Amino acid sequence: MHKLKPITPLGADASREDQIGTITITEVVNMALASVAARLGQEKALHAALLEAVSLTLPDVGKSTETSEFTALWTGPDQWMIVADHDQHELLATELKQMVGTSASVVEQTDGWCRFDVSGERLGDLFERLSNVPVRRMNTGDVIRGTVEHLGAFLWRLEDARMAVIAPRSSAASLHHALKAAATSIS
């Protein structure tokens, strides 16, 4: 019998949190993720299905929307990442596929991505060292696909002083290192 044990993207038993000066970097591990892409000619049907099933409105370019259970992030033309609490929606992709039927392609993404929430009053200073994304001009709920250091990532403004960075899980250690180095440089 296999004795499998889940690990975080950084390879630990529990999520990591680093405090560097006024910046806090938190590894977020309790999120389920699924990508949803409207099939050709089914865009309106997809929007209607999610609105009816869970009152989730799919956001426009560069935005996010949320309900009490789900968040949708725009990731590309007629494509979104749906985020939910992992404990409540471990089979998120299956749930979504049942909701949207043939109007969209749904793919499980939970273990393919890592997420770090970065908070502190000097977010602009930190991200200016890592990315050309205009973080200072982003409003709460804005999502931009860009690069952080040399890694492709989504930057999602959660609050004035809090940003989520979502990147491929295989780059978690590099991303974490880059975030820590930038935080150190401004502290």
Side-chain angles (χ1 to χ4, degrees):
M1 180 91 181
H2 296 288
K3 292 187 179 187
L4 301 177
K5 180 177 156 186
I7 59 172
T8 71
L10 289 176
D13 294 336
S15 65
R16 180 170 174 164
E17 182 171 288
D18 298 291
Q19 183 72 43
I20 302 169
T22 61
I23 298 291
T24 303
I25 303 165
T26 306
E27 182 184 21
V28 178
V29 297
N30 63 340
M31 296 283 107
L33 302 168
S35 63
V36 175
R39 291 188 176 160
L40 186 61
Q42 296 295 308
E43 298 85 358
K44 288 182 182 178
L46 170 60
H47 285 264
L50 286 173
L51 189 59
E52 181 181 329
V54 291
S55 301
L56 181 63
T57 303
L58 293 172
D60 289 331
V61 176
K63 301 293 181 185
S64 66
T65 56
E66 63 183 281
T67 67
S68 60
E69 286 188 79
F70 301 96
T71 301
L73 311 175
W74 181 87
T75 58
D78 297 319
Q79 299 175 19
W80 300 267
M81 185 77 75
I82 308 297
V83 183
D85 180 89
H86 186 271
D87 292 341
Q88 301 299 316
H89 300 281
E90 185 175 358
L91 301 175
L92 179 62
T94 301
E95 292 175 41
L96 291 169
K97 187 60 182 165
Q98 290 172 353
M99 291 177 207
V100 302
T102 60
S103 67
S105 296
V106 180
V107 178
E108 171 64 39
Q109 297 289 328
T110 302
D111 290 328
W113 297 86
C114 65
R115 174 177 160 181
F116 293 96
D117 285 3
V118 183
S119 59
E121 293 181 15
R122 298 190 63 196
L123 282 182
D125 295 338
L126 182 139
F127 282 103
E128 283 176 349
R129 287 164 169 71
L130 296 171
S131 180
N132 64 354
V133 171
V135 170
R136 292 185 193 273
R137 292 195 309 254
M138 289 176 73
N139 296 313
T140 298
D142 286 355
V143 178
I144 296 177
R145 185 175 199 155
T147 58
V148 175
E149 190 71 0
H150 61 284
L151 307 166
F154 292 97
L155 283 87
W156 174 21
R157 176 70 83 164
L158 301 170
E159 300 169 351
D160 284 344
R162 198 172 108 201
M163 179 81 65
V165 182
I166 301 171
R169 184 182 179 111
S170 60
S171 61
S174 296
L175 176 59
H176 183 248
H177 173 76
L179 292 169
K180 285 179 33 181
T184 301
S185 77
I186 64 169
S187 62

